[in-house]
Amino acid sequence: MRVRVATTALGITAALLALPACSTDTTGAKHQPPSSARTSKPADAVQKSASLSSAALESRLLDQSDLGSGYLPKPERPAKHDDVTVIGCPALSELGDSAATGGTLSFPHKAKADFTYGGSSSEISEELYSDSAKKLSDGVARIFNAMTGCPTYQVVTGGTPVDVTSQKLPAPHDLGDEQWSQLLTFSTGGRSTVVKQTAVRDGSLLLIVSGSPALVDRHLDKALAKATATS
């Protein structure tokens, strides 16, 4: 079965496919417990229910000073509108119609930052979204469940076939209200890219960190702490 969906609608898949197909880094730092700054406060419930503007989200993204030495902002890629053809994954195919109309991950408030590390192919991407808790939960769960429901499938973007394998990973249950995590391997032209992706919903805010597994594990707690800071 084939289905064509717009790359801008299937935001997660399209972003991962844009990573350079040369990294095979599968090492990951052990997930560290959140710092004491994540301790619940009386005002948390009110803060977590309020939707944040895109400008507010932008200010909560990690920057070079947060990440440390060796990280450089990744130049923004020119906007592309190539369709994506998904082959061999009925779960993703079923999302085709709604994705094509912008119904998947089309949250009104969002911000994103991309970095490279150490002059190598290692990269890390942070995305922040804000909407009602239910909309965030339903939208992300549909994508993650679809992608991890197919151990192998193929994506054709811009005429280039990419073989994809997916694996559901244990999510860090000590963070936020809901969590999702997966490991994806994209293979094309004899080269492979291994990407870890972890999403955490905290009230009306959604954090998605993607990239080299070790970098995702290293910065996930820090990204959530900054994204949910109330002062």
Side-chain angles (χ1 to χ4, degrees):
M1 179 183 295
R2 293 171 179 249
V3 61
R4 300 185 70 78
V5 293
T7 56
T8 52
L10 269 180
I12 293 178
T13 306
L16 295 177
L17 290 174
L19 289 173
C22 55
S23 171
T24 55
D25 177 16
T26 58
T27 59
K30 296 185 71 174
H31 178 73
Q32 298 297 321
S35 67
S36 58
R38 296 280 301 132
T39 302
S40 179
K41 298 178 182 179
D44 282 355
V46 174
Q47 178 72 19
K48 289 168 67 173
S49 65
S51 182
L52 298 171
S53 68
S54 295
L57 293 175
E58 187 80 27
S59 69
R60 297 179 181 221
L61 290 168
L62 294 178
D63 56 30
Q64 286 177 274
S65 64
D66 298 315
L67 294 169
S69 62
Y71 291 87
L72 293 174
K74 183 179 177 181
E76 186 174 350
R77 297 174 182 272
K80 297 183 68 174
H81 302 286
D82 292 334
D83 283 347
V84 173
T85 302
V86 180
I87 305 171
C89 184
L92 278 178
S93 296
E94 291 174 4
L95 289 178
D97 290 340
S98 63
T101 60
T104 304
L105 282 187
S106 184
F107 302 123
H109 308 299
K110 52 196 169 184
K112 183 178 180 181
D114 299 287
F115 297 89
T116 59
Y117 176 64
S120 69
S121 60
S122 296
E123 299 184 8
I124 185 168
S125 171
E126 180 187 6
E127 298 167 73
L128 288 177
Y129 299 92
S130 189
D131 206 329
S132 72
K134 177 173 173 51
K135 288 181 180 179
L136 293 176
S137 178
D138 290 348
V140 177
R142 291 179 70 200
I143 288 289
F144 270 80
N145 290 342
M147 295 177 76
T148 58
C150 298
T152 61
Y153 55 97
Q154 189 177 73
V155 175
V156 181
T157 176
T160 302
V162 181
D163 294 320
V164 184
T165 62
S166 64
Q167 176 187 351
K168 186 175 182 179
L169 297 178
H173 293 294
D174 55 336
L175 297 180
D177 300 314
E178 290 184 283
Q179 314 83 17
W180 302 263
S181 191
Q182 62 182 341
L183 191 71
L184 300 166
T185 302
F186 299 91
S187 302
T188 185
R191 299 193 297 177
S192 296
T193 298
V194 178
V195 173
K196 183 172 184 179
Q197 184 173 62
T198 298
V200 178
R201 183 188 66 78
D202 191 277
S204 60
L205 185 142
L206 174 70
L207 164 72
I208 301 176
V209 181
S210 310
S212 302
L215 299 186
V216 173
D217 289 343
R218 185 181 305 168
H219 297 294
L220 179 63
D221 286 350
K222 188 185 300 182
L224 184 63
K226 184 172 183 178
T228 58
T230 58
S231 62

